Amino acid sequence: LITAGPTYEAIDPVRFIGNHSSGKMGFALAEEAAKKGANVTLISGPTALKIQNPNIEFHGVTSAREMFDEVFKHYYAADIAIMSAAVADYTPKIVAPEKIKKNEEEFSIQLVKNPDILKTMGEKKTHQFLVGFALETQNEEENAKGKLNRKNLDMIVLNSLRDSGAGFRGDTNKIKIITQTEQKEFSLKTKEEVAKDILDFINDKLPQNL
């Protein structure tokens, strides 16, 4: 089970809150996992990318709530869950039924917290090998380790916006993999190569009966 892309949180029928995620990392992971023979379910927020491997089961969603619901339709049957989507932490409390007109000099939107998909997966984990992602701008390792522990993950993939060539939209990434017992840093590579590194690392950690 792999998630990818952003989520869009509606403000009104024509506007939304989102982020710069392209979905490229998650799609690369799905394609590489399918090449390795895995049965892959890919759940993605809005993206222009298309699946190439016909053996990937694709589900498109828009909002964080929709992604939450779709993830838990498939999570319990999965052996490995790689959550690379950039899910919005907050969503507008009220979605305007009509387009909001430009009238006032200032305009405020009240936000409420979205359900934490990854934390819920950690709480409900049985046999799954659960992988999270952390995109950080400061105190990178400390924040990633905190997320690893808080959300009961088996490993976390850290990338920093301070690293040139890493982060959203680009075709390359530079990662560090962190578990409870080790860290492994990788050089800047294409996202396809990064996907291979991540999946090879996971494969080395899996029980042999999976």
Side-chain angles (χ1 to χ4, degrees):
L1 174 63
I2 298 171
T3 62
T7 65
Y8 289 174
E9 310 300 319
I11 297 171
D12 65 17
V14 299
R15 301 181 181 92
F16 61 86
I17 297 170
N19 58 57
H20 297 300
S21 174
S22 65
K24 289 179 180 179
M25 191 69 254
F27 274 66
L29 283 161
E31 294 286 353
E32 183 61 26
K35 285 181 189 176
K36 291 180 179 293
N39 296 318
V40 180
T41 299
L42 174 63
I43 301 170
S44 178
T47 175
L49 301 176
K50 302 296 182 184
I51 287 298
Q52 303 301 317
N53 193 311
N55 295 324
I56 297 172
E57 179 184 333
F58 178 79
H59 300 271
V61 298
T62 301
S63 69
R65 171 55 72 177
E66 290 174 356
M67 184 169 284
F68 182 98
D69 292 341
E70 194 65 37
V71 162
F72 285 99
K73 291 178 184 177
H74 306 279
Y75 179 49
Y76 302 108
D79 294 313
I80 304 166
I82 307 174
M83 313 307 288
S84 68
V87 181
D89 294 323
Y90 292 89
T91 192
K93 184 175 183 179
I94 297 172
V95 178
E98 304 293 340
K99 180 183 176 182
I100 299 169
K101 297 299 184 182
K102 182 172 65 176
N103 294 318
E104 306 299 330
E105 290 298 321
E106 295 184 0
F107 177 71
S108 298
I109 301 172
Q110 186 175 2
L111 302 177
V112 294
K113 189 175 286 189
N114 273 320
D116 191 323
I117 299 173
L118 191 57
K119 185 173 185 291
T120 306
M121 294 173 80
E123 292 168 348
K124 296 180 180 293
K125 183 170 67 172
T126 54
H127 67 286
Q128 295 89 351
F129 189 93
L130 182 57
V131 180
F133 274 65
L135 177 62
E136 302 291 343
T137 59
Q138 59 182 350
N139 302 323
E140 289 94 341
E141 287 188 21
E142 179 183 347
N143 289 334
K145 289 176 183 176
K147 187 173 182 179
L148 178 78
N149 292 321
R150 287 194 314 275
K151 304 196 177 186
N152 192 28
L153 308 179
D154 294 288
M155 73 177 242
I156 192 161
V157 180
L158 168 64
N159 49 117
S160 171
L161 284 181
R162 296 189 185 198
D163 290 326
S164 177
F168 291 149
R169 290 186 174 174
D171 294 322
T172 59
N173 206 357
K174 185 175 185 293
I175 66 165
K176 179 181 290 186
I177 293 177
I178 301 173
T179 72
Q180 291 289 355
T181 58
E182 64 183 299
Q183 295 184 27
K184 186 173 183 180
E185 190 165 2
F186 298 82
S187 60
L188 184 70
K189 300 182 180 184
T190 67
K191 287 185 174 176
E192 289 76 16
E193 292 170 325
V194 172
K196 292 177 183 177
D197 288 338
I198 291 170
L199 290 167
D200 287 344
F201 188 96
I202 293 170
N203 188 60
D204 288 342
K205 305 303 173 187
L206 289 177
Q208 293 303 307
N209 61 348
L210 279 184

